[in-house]
Amino acid sequence: MLSMERQVDRSKSYRDRALRLLRQHHCRITTPRLTVIDTLSRLDRPVTAYELHHKIQTSGGRLDVVSIYRILDTLRQCGLIYCVPSKNAYLPVFLETASDRLAELVLHEDTENVTELRIPPSILSELEGQAKELGIAITSIKIELRARSA
């Protein structure tokens, strides 16, 4: 669990990065997008679109689920969120060098928290070599590790 001060810093950093990337992708900065970004920035575990909808509603926001899905898709395309397929859920990308197309996530089964890791260059190189042997080009790499306390 993050300290309150670290959580605020992380949330602000995520929001600033989100605004920068949305502008780079020529996306409008709208109140609904900011609401989703701010809600996501406080998360330390993946949430479904419906859970996100509930969090936004309980904090006084008004967004329908379809709009949330559309916003999540935009954020994913901009590299701001991970889609966690095993949970059908979403999580903000906090690592500056990470994106949904190049991700290594550790899902902690005990707490449901997620830790982002950088994929080591040696593993990337090995995977690219395998793809080259097959005559294909890698468009995304997602490594999802499930773990519990030892």
Side-chain angles (χ1 to χ4, degrees):
M1 191 76 170
L2 294 175
S3 70
M4 183 58 92
E5 184 177 314
R6 182 133 188 263
Q7 176 69 38
V8 169
D9 289 347
R10 187 173 86 155
S11 293
K12 183 179 180 338
S13 174
Y14 181 74
R15 187 181 217 263
D16 293 346
R17 184 166 164 259
L19 293 174
R20 187 178 78 248
L21 287 173
L22 285 169
R23 286 185 187 108
Q24 283 177 5
H25 285 86
H26 307 290
C27 296
R28 291 185 4 225
I29 310 298
T30 63
T31 301
R33 282 184 180 155
L34 291 174
T35 300
V36 170
I37 288 166
D38 290 340
T39 304
L40 285 169
S41 74
R42 294 187 294 272
L43 299 177
D44 57 3
R45 68 174 192 83
V47 293
T48 66
Y50 285 93
E51 289 172 320
L52 189 58
H53 177 254
H54 179 73
K55 286 181 179 297
I56 289 168
Q57 276 191 321
T58 56
S59 66
R62 290 179 45 158
L63 270 175
D64 61 272
V65 176
V66 172
S67 295
I68 290 173
Y69 272 112
R70 287 183 183 141
I71 292 167
L72 289 171
D73 188 52
T74 299
L75 297 179
R76 188 192 54 74
Q77 290 175 16
C78 292
L80 288 164
I81 60 171
Y82 296 112
C83 178
V84 182
S86 67
K87 297 221 173 244
N88 192 26
Y90 304 89
L91 183 75
V93 174
F94 288 111
L95 289 176
E96 192 71 32
T97 59
S99 75
D100 188 51
R101 291 178 235 343
L102 189 62
E104 181 178 3
L105 302 173
V106 179
L107 296 140
H108 302 272
E109 292 178 343
D110 315 13
T111 62
E112 294 191 3
N113 290 350
V114 175
T115 302
E116 297 173 272
L117 300 173
R118 287 184 176 82
I119 299 175
S122 60
I123 292 176
L124 284 175
S125 177
E126 183 67 29
L127 293 171
E128 288 166 350
Q130 290 175 350
K132 187 176 181 179
E133 287 175 15
L134 294 171
I136 59 174
I138 296 174
T139 58
S140 73
I141 299 173
K142 295 180 185 178
I143 301 171
E144 187 177 300
L145 307 171
R146 299 184 69 82
R148 65 176 147 260
S149 298

